[in-house]
Coordinates of all heavy atoms in Angstrom, one line a residue:
Chain A
L1201 N -32.5 48.0 -117.9 CA -32.7 48.1 -116.5 C -33.3 49.5 -116.1 O -32.9 50.5 -116.6 CB -31.3 48.0 -115.8 CG -30.7 46.6 -115.7 CD1 -29.4 46.7 -114.9 CD2 -31.7 45.6 -115.0
S1202 N -34.3 49.4 -115.3 CA -34.9 50.6 -114.7 C -35.0 50.4 -113.2 O -35.1 49.3 -112.7 CB -36.3 50.9 -115.3 OG -36.2 51.1 -116.7
K1203 N -34.9 51.5 -112.5 CA -35.1 51.4 -111.0 C -35.8 52.7 -110.5 O -35.4 53.8 -110.8 CB -33.7 51.3 -110.3 CG -33.8 51.2 -108.8 CD -34.4 49.9 -108.4 CE -34.7 49.8 -106.9 NZ -35.4 48.6 -106.6
S1204 N -36.9 52.4 -109.7 CA -37.6 53.6 -109.1 C -37.6 53.4 -107.6 O -37.7 52.3 -107.1 CB -39.1 53.6 -109.6 OG -39.1 53.6 -111.0
F1205 N -37.5 54.5 -106.9 CA -37.7 54.5 -105.5 C -38.9 55.3 -105.3 O -39.0 56.5 -105.5 CB -36.5 55.2 -104.8 CG -35.2 54.4 -104.9 CD1 -34.2 54.8 -105.7 CD2 -35.0 53.2 -104.2 CE1 -33.0 54.1 -105.9 CE2 -33.9 52.5 -104.3 CZ -32.9 52.9 -105.1
G1206 N -40.0 54.7 -104.8 CA -41.3 55.3 -104.7 C -41.7 55.9 -106.1 O -41.6 55.2 -107.1
P1207 N -42.1 57.2 -106.2 CA -42.5 57.7 -107.4 C -41.4 58.2 -108.3 O -41.6 58.6 -109.5 CB -43.4 58.9 -107.0 CG -42.9 59.3 -105.7 CD -42.3 58.1 -105.1
I1208 N -40.1 58.2 -107.8 CA -39.0 58.8 -108.5 C -38.2 57.7 -109.2 O -37.8 56.7 -108.6 CB -38.1 59.5 -107.5 CG1 -38.9 60.6 -106.8 CG2 -36.9 60.1 -108.2 CD1 -38.2 61.0 -105.5
E1209 N -38.1 57.9 -110.5 CA -37.3 56.9 -111.3 C -35.9 57.4 -111.4 O -35.7 58.5 -111.9 CB -37.9 56.8 -112.7 CG -37.3 55.7 -113.5 CD -38.0 55.5 -114.9 OE1 -38.1 56.5 -115.6 OE2 -38.4 54.3 -115.2
V1210 N -35.0 56.7 -110.9 CA -33.6 57.1 -110.9 C -32.8 56.5 -112.0 O -31.7 57.0 -112.4 CB -32.9 56.8 -109.5 CG1 -33.5 57.7 -108.4 CG2 -33.0 55.4 -109.2
L1211 N -33.3 55.4 -112.6 CA -32.6 54.8 -113.7 C -33.7 54.4 -114.7 O -34.8 53.9 -114.4 CB -31.9 53.5 -113.3 CG -30.5 53.6 -112.8 CD1 -29.9 52.2 -112.5 CD2 -29.6 54.4 -113.7
H1212 N -33.4 54.7 -116.0 CA -34.5 54.5 -117.0 C -33.8 53.7 -118.2 O -33.0 54.2 -118.9 CB -35.1 55.8 -117.5 CG -36.1 55.6 -118.6 ND1 -37.3 55.1 -118.3 CD2 -36.0 55.8 -119.9 CE1 -38.0 55.0 -119.5 NE2 -37.2 55.4 -120.5
D1213 N -34.3 52.5 -118.3 CA -34.0 51.7 -119.5 C -32.5 51.7 -119.9 O -32.1 52.1 -121.0 CB -34.9 52.3 -120.7 CG -34.9 51.3 -121.9 OD1 -34.6 50.1 -121.7 OD2 -35.2 51.8 -123.0

Side-chain angles (χ1 to χ4, degrees):
Chain A
L1201 284 182
S1202 298
K1203 181 67 189 175
S1204 302
F1205 295 105
I1208 301 158
E1209 189 176 54
V1210 292
L1211 276 183
H1212 178 75
D1213 194 21

